[in-house]
Amino acid sequence: MAQVYIVTGAASGIGRALCQRLLSDASNKVCACDINYEALAEIYADHTLAESGGSLILQQLDVRRVDQWQDVVEMVLNHWQRIDVMCNVASVLKDNWIADIVIPDEVDLHFDINVKGTIYGTQSVVETMRQQGSGHIINVASLAALSPVPGLSLYSASKYAVRAYSLAAGMELEQYGIAVTTLCPDAVQTPMLDQQKDKEQAALTFSGSRTLTVDEVVDAIVGPVLKKRPFEMVLLPSRGVVAKIANVFPQTTGNFVDTFRKQGAKRQAKSKN
């Protein structure tokens, strides 16, 4: 069924792959948003824009700016009169050791983009979806939202907040016909992962048996997430079980961190080749 989508982080990684998959169905209508408008214009140059009768809107968006979120929603409603699916994908990650001096700007960056950006994106479409009596908000968190990750404390903390907010939103908004799904993927082969390949702090990111592809994440979104509208989906499920157990027993988990870090460091080294 044709739907109207808003997707953030559409110039790279999961957001880019998701938009391209959605646009492969000519009946879908997509508003692709990113702070880097030049990249959007280059990536989607072959698509016909909505102004010319096409099914694509390109919109520069800083997810930290409420006024820009209002502009996005207004533009989409002016073109297509409804919003069916909001996909909050945009995210940042900077590795950090707790014992090192953390730059305040890096703290703000994680919480302004990952947390506030997701909250603002969610809030921006609630009233429209409530009036429609339907809608689906998909917030991309991380496996790091299920279990703390030493070396990525700011990122992990921000994704914990994304997950907590999204689950609460799902419980509140269900009465209005609005589903909220929190998607928690393990490490995904994206530019964000590439920046971690040389960082000792990020070794635990590579502790799984393999990394996910963006297509696997998109398959999950356009498949079971959109069809079943769950509160939460974890990729891979087996890693999710381990992460949730680790979260319940942090003292015990702490005893095995070095083992997992060494395992991750070996796979991290292989990923450079």
Side-chain angles (χ1 to χ4, degrees), residues 137-194:
I137 300 167
I138 301 170
N139 293 334
V140 178
S142 167
L143 199 69
L146 303 176
S147 180
V149 184
L152 300 179
S153 58
L154 291 178
Y155 178 76
S156 185
S158 70
K159 290 300 185 177
Y160 260 74
V162 167
R163 178 173 179 259
Y165 172 82
S166 301
L167 291 174
M171 295 171 191
E172 286 188 32
L173 298 176
E174 189 174 28
Q175 63 182 312
Y176 303 114
I178 304 170
V180 181
T181 298
T182 312
L183 183 62
C184 299
D186 200 354
V188 185
Q189 186 53 61
T190 64
M192 182 183 288
L193 185 68
D194 290 338

Side-chain angles (χ1 to χ4, degrees), residues 48-61:
T48 304
L49 300 181
E51 290 82 353
S52 304
S55 56
L56 174 66
I57 294 172
L58 299 182
Q59 182 72 19
Q60 185 174 36
L61 171 66

Side-chain angles (χ1 to χ4, degrees), residues 2 8 12 35 62 66 80 88 97 118 129 153 156 164 170 175 189 204 206 209 213 217-218 220 222 225 230 235 267:
T8 69
S12 66
I35 196 169
D62 182 340
V66 174
W80 298 318
N88 288 303
W97 292 122
T118 298
M129 290 181 174
S153 58
S156 185
Q175 63 182 312
Q189 186 53 61
L204 284 171
F206 298 84
S209 59
T213 66
V217 179
V218 172
V222 301
V225 169
L235 299 174
R267 290 173 178 153

Side-chain angles (χ1 to χ4, degrees), residues 95 97 150-151 196-204 261 265 268:
D95 49 272
W97 292 122
Q196 300 177 66
K197 289 182 177 179
D198 297 317
K199 305 294 181 64
E200 179 187 358
Q201 299 95 316
L204 284 171
R261 182 179 287 117
Q268 187 180 33

Side-chain angles (χ1 to χ4, degrees), residues 228-239:
K228 298 180 180 180
R229 294 159 58 105
F231 277 107
E232 180 175 79
M233 184 171 186
V234 181
L235 299 174
L236 297 161
S238 59
R239 287 274 284 172

